Amino acid sequence: MTDPRTLLADPHWLPHRIDPGARTIEFLQLERAALAEPAFLADRQGPTQALPWAEVQNAVAETGAAETGPIHFVFHTAFCRSTLLARALEIPGVSAGLSEPGVFAGLVNAGSAGEPLVKPVVDLLSRPWGQGEAVFAKPTNHANRLIPALMNAAPQARAILMTNPLPSFLAAVIRKGMMGRRWARQLYLELMGYAGMDLGMDGREQFAMTDLQAGGLAWFLNQRYFDAVARQYGDRVRVLDGDRFDAERAQTLAAIGSFTGVGIDAGRAREIAEGPVFTRDAKTGRDYADKAREDAAATQSAVVEDEIAKVGEWIGLIAKQAGLDVPLKQTLF
């Protein structure tokens, strides 16, 4: 068993799971190379060790057991290439890219009991993986309700709010099949719980919505929520269109470097954009071009395109009534 103070000082021990019943935080040991591998950190396997969360709180807050460093966030609305961005920001010697550590979902699931853990967790995630490195942490979109708490816990942090146009989002839902459509409905219920609004529909009308209508409303509520976050945090936040990122990779990375003060200049950005990270799908490791062709083929249907278009018109009317232009305008560059 690793000594707790040694564990808390070592960024290779990543806060991984929270057990509210036992009041413990489980840490997962990872090698640096694991940060560049496909799949989310929440799904990784390796040596683990649990510590009482009171011990973690006291050690981090009172004795400074963890050496903190610069941390920035990539928040997203799902299916917008945020995982690819996190991979591209994994640049040894410059920054570490943390793609969906499981601890963010743990904080959400812990509810109010987990609120005192937000600051210690953010401090632990900010531990530099190398001399002078910053950290870019990308939570799951299911942890977006934590955005104010995370931003307040790290007053120097900057945040990228990553999204994409509604047709791109709905096409991704369709590609996931039945479980993707179920996920869209669940996301709608989730957003209504913490970023909801009166849509003028009773329970029967909401139940009667199609899967894509529910997904479209979830997307819209995320846009509305991100707009409120951008207004609240002003210059600490920039909006990024995921489709534009894919089209202008080097410019996006250089703009993030300029915005956050992390050493990603134009030359380094071009090197990354032309490098291997963009040749493999960030979630599966498959050839990126092959998967892109399969994805396009999966949604090439007159019926699907008509449904997406009709949902888009409907969401457009709702957005107009709410006084919101969607998708949010890109502000990163």
Side-chain angles (χ1 to χ4, degrees), residues 77 80 161-169 216 219-224 226-227 239-244 312 315-316 319 324-331:
T77 57
C80 56
L161 304 181
M162 199 167 180
T163 186
N164 59 358
L166 179 59
S168 300
F169 177 84
W219 176 89
F220 167 72
L221 292 173
N222 251 323
Q223 302 294 317
R224 184 170 175 267
F226 272 15
D227 179 67
V239 176
L240 172 62
D241 183 310
D243 289 358
R244 191 167 174 188
I315 293 297
L324 184 66
D325 290 329
V326 295
L328 297 184
K329 181 180 178 181
Q330 173 161 308
T331 58

Side-chain angles (χ1 to χ4, degrees), residues 115-318:
E115 291 176 3
L117 297 178
V118 174
K119 172 64 173 171
V121 163
V122 170
D123 285 347
L124 289 166
L125 291 174
S126 79
R127 292 169 296 179
W129 286 71
Q131 182 67 36
E133 288 189 10
V135 170
F136 287 95
K138 181 188 84 97
T140 169
N141 70 293
H142 297 293
N144 281 347
R145 69 175 66 202
L146 295 176
I147 290 177
L150 295 171
M151 293 292 284
N152 294 340
Q156 304 307 314
R158 301 292 181 96
I160 303 296
L161 304 181
M162 199 167 180
T163 186
N164 59 358
L166 179 59
S168 300
F169 177 84
L170 293 180
V173 169
I174 291 169
R175 288 195 297 271
K176 301 292 183 182
M178 183 184 74
M179 295 310 295
R181 289 174 176 269
R182 184 175 188 273
W183 175 90
R185 286 188 171 277
Q186 290 176 317
L187 185 65
Y188 166 68
L189 294 174
E190 183 181 301
L191 265 295
M192 283 296 284
Y194 70 90
M197 62 179 289
D198 184 0
L199 295 165
M201 295 190 293
D202 61 22
R204 288 175 61 87
E205 290 174 307
Q206 292 184 67
F207 180 81
M209 287 192 300
T210 69
D211 300 327
L212 292 196
Q213 280 183 297
L217 280 177
W219 176 89
F220 167 72
L221 292 173
N222 251 323
Q223 302 294 317
R224 184 170 175 267
Y225 180 62
F226 272 15
D227 179 67
V229 168
R231 293 176 186 276
Q232 180 177 356
Y233 291 99
D235 287 342
R236 294 179 61 196
V237 167
R238 293 289 187 275
V239 176
L240 172 62
D241 183 310
D243 289 358
R244 191 167 174 188
F245 162 49
D246 191 43
E248 301 177 77
R249 298 165 180 174
Q251 189 172 356
T252 298
L253 295 171
I256 290 174
S258 176
F259 172 53
T260 60
V262 175
I264 310 172
D265 59 18
R268 178 63 70 96
R270 282 194 302 272
E271 179 184 344
I272 298 167
E274 296 169 1
V277 70
F278 287 96
T279 65
R280 297 288 172 183
D281 179 69
K283 293 178 182 175
T284 65
R286 293 183 54 204
D287 180 88
Y288 185 81
D290 287 347
K291 186 174 185 301
R293 282 191 293 269
E294 288 181 14
D295 287 349
T299 54
Q300 285 178 348
S301 157
V303 173
V304 166
E305 292 170 3
D306 181 66
E307 186 178 6
I308 289 177
K310 284 184 168 61
V311 172
E313 292 174 6
W314 182 61
I315 293 297
L317 292 174
I318 293 172

